Amino acid sequence: MNHTEPIDIPVIAIDGPSASGKGTVAQLVADTLGFHYLDSGALYRVVAYATHQNNIDWNNATAVAACAKTLHIQFKHGEVYLNGTDISDQIRTEAMGKGASQVAVHAALRAALVDLQHSFRISPGLLADGRDMGTVIFPEAVLKIFLTASTETRAKRRYQQLLGKQQPADYEAILQDLKTRDARDKGRASAPLIMAEDAILLETDTLTITEAVHFILEKYQQKMCK
Ligand code: CDP
C-alpha cells in the first residue's frame, strides 16, 4: 500500500481576527487547490452551542472541556453536524460567536480539540482557518498567512453580511463587539491570537476577495516550487 504520512501532506494555515473575510478567502483557496478545509472556529461555536444546550456555564473550564470530549462533530458539504444533526444555522448566530470566543479561552478545551483538528490533515492537503493554526495546531504548515483588516473595515463587513442575511445590524454595537472579541482573543493565556514569526501578513482593507485569494495561491506556488 502506498500510504501518505500526515507529515507529507501540505497544510496552509490562515489565521486572523473576526470578520476579516478569512473564512471566504480560505474556502476559495481550498476549493481551488482541491484541499480539505478546517473551519476551526466552527468547532468552538459547536462547543458553545452544546454547552449552552446542557446549561453549562461558558466560564466553567472543566465542565466545558468535559462536555466537548463527548461531542461527535462532523463537517459534510460545508454543513456542521453535531451527533448526526445539522446545526449549521444554530452555530452561525452572533450569540454563538460570542460564546465561542468565551469558551475558547480555556486551555483544557483547546487541548481537547487538538486531535480532532489534526485529523483533518488528509491528502492532498489541508487549508486550516482559525486563530492558532500556524502557531499551535500546525506549526509546521508550509505556508502561514495572517489575514487581517482594520477594526472599522471588519465592522463594516460584518454589518453588510448581517444586512445581506436580513438580520438586525447595528454598526456601533458590532464595532464594540469586535473590539471586545479581539481583546479576548489576543489577551488569553492559551494560544492567543498572534502572528506566527514565519507568517506572511495580508492586510485586506483595500483588497477584493479575488485579490486576496490570488495572493495566497501565488505564495503557495512559490513555496512549493522552491
Ligand atoms: O466568525 P468569526 O471570525 O467571528 O469567528 P469564528 O472563526 O467562527 O470563531 C469563533 C471564535 O472561536 C473566535 O472569536 C475565537 O475566539 C475562537 N477561535 C479560537 O479561539 N481558535 C480558533 N482556532 C478558531 C476560533
Side-chain angles (χ1 to χ4, degrees):
M1 272 230 300
N2 190 4
H3 248 16
T4 311
E5 291 300 322
I7 206 72
D8 297 328
I9 299 170
V11 177
I12 300 177
I14 305 186
D15 290 304
S18 274
S20 51
K22 200 164 37 84
T24 310
V25 170
Q27 181 76 70
L28 285 167
V29 173
D31 289 349
T32 308
L33 295 170
F35 276 18
H36 297 273
Y37 174 57
L38 167 60
D39 174 3
S40 61
L43 301 179
Y44 292 93
R45 285 173 180 266
V46 172
V47 172
Y49 173 79
T51 44
H52 180 69
Q53 293 290 98
N54 287 289
N55 295 316
I56 293 169
D57 183 344
W58 285 333
N59 295 314
N60 185 339
T62 313
V64 167
C67 175
K69 285 181 192 156
T70 68
L71 307 177
H72 181 51
I73 304 171
Q74 291 168 297
F75 291 86
K76 279 190 245 168
H77 315 295
E79 310 297 341
V80 185
Y81 288 77
L82 173 61
N83 302 330
T85 305
D86 182 355
I87 54 154
S88 311
D89 291 340
Q90 288 92 318
I91 64 164
R92 294 281 163 223
T93 61
E94 288 299 281
M96 289 308 136
K98 266 187 209 171
S101 132
Q102 263 174 264
V103 294
V105 303
H106 304 311
L109 170 63
R110 304 197 72 88
L113 294 178
V114 169
D115 287 349
L116 177 59
Q117 293 178 86
H118 285 165
S119 73
F120 281 79
R121 190 172 187 175
I122 298 169
S123 187
L126 174 67
L127 193 306
D129 163 351
R131 303 289 189 285
D132 60 343
M133 298 296 100
T135 48
V136 177
I137 305 296
F138 298 108
E140 70 292 355
V142 59
L143 176 65
K144 299 179 188 178
I145 301 286
F146 194 82
L147 194 151
T148 188
S150 70
T151 323
E152 288 71 22
T153 300
R154 293 188 283 124
K156 272 185 220 147
R157 286 179 185 163
R158 177 59 48 93
Y159 176 75
Q160 295 297 344
Q161 197 182 32
L162 288 172
L163 288 187
K165 288 198 274 184
Q166 262 104 50
Q167 286 182 20
D170 171 347
Y171 176 79
E172 285 307 323
I174 293 169
L175 184 65
Q176 204 42 56
D177 180 55
L178 277 182
K179 286 181 179 167
T180 308
R181 258 199 250 183
D182 282 357
R184 200 184 285 136
D185 279 353
K186 289 178 186 163
R188 68 179 174 227
S190 178
L193 172 66
I194 40 160
M195 184 168 144
E197 268 180 25
D198 49 351
I200 298 169
L201 178 65
L202 178 55
E203 289 181 290
T204 63
D205 290 83
T206 59
L207 290 187
T208 63
I209 287 171
T210 311
E211 286 168 335
V213 169
H214 280 158
F215 177 91
I216 297 170
L217 289 171
E218 209 172 87
K219 293 288 173 206
Y220 179 64
Q221 206 170 27
Q222 285 167 6
K223 287 270 182 192
M224 297 310 273
C225 294
K226 256 186 192 167

